Amino acid sequence: MVRGLAQVLATRRHAARKHPYQVRWTSSLSTMKHTLVRLLIGTVHPPTTLLTQAVLALSDAVEAVRPDRQFPRRNPGKLKPGFHPA
């Protein structure tokens, strides 16, 4: 839900740019991991402040969505030479 709010904010912020921007998934996980711990522990900051800071941080961690940027992977499904299976 927090990532969705950050996406709305990021879309509004970057509306004038050439490509649409989306919030990075890994940044979302990292930010929410730390925020969730602070919410559960009950730090001195109120929950609304923590969630607001998380939304603002996520709306800054964006990347451009370039629809023409898809390339086939090299050696799909093959192991690297010299490595044995675990």
Side-chain angles (χ1 to χ4, degrees):
M1 290 182 352
V2 174
R3 184 174 182 257
L5 288 173
Q7 182 61 51
V8 170
L9 186 59
T11 303
R12 288 180 186 167
R13 279 186 180 178
H14 305 297
R17 293 189 179 181
K18 181 179 178 181
H19 295 289
Y21 279 73
Q22 70 180 7
V23 176
R24 282 187 244 144
W25 182 252
T26 54
S27 298
S28 303
L29 288 176
S30 176
T31 302
M32 287 311 299
K33 174 179 63 175
H34 299 298
T35 304
L36 183 64
V37 170
R38 289 180 188 159
L39 286 171
L40 292 176
I41 291 175
T43 60
V44 296
H45 303 292
T48 55
T49 304
L50 290 173
L51 291 174
T52 303
Q53 288 175 350
V55 168
L56 292 175
L58 289 177
S59 66
D60 287 335
V62 294
E63 61 186 15
V65 178
R66 295 180 178 99
D68 302 334
R69 300 272 309 222
Q70 266 198 349
F71 301 100
R73 295 185 182 266
R74 290 186 228 145
N75 299 329
K78 294 182 182 177
L79 295 175
K80 291 183 179 179
F83 290 98
H84 63 284

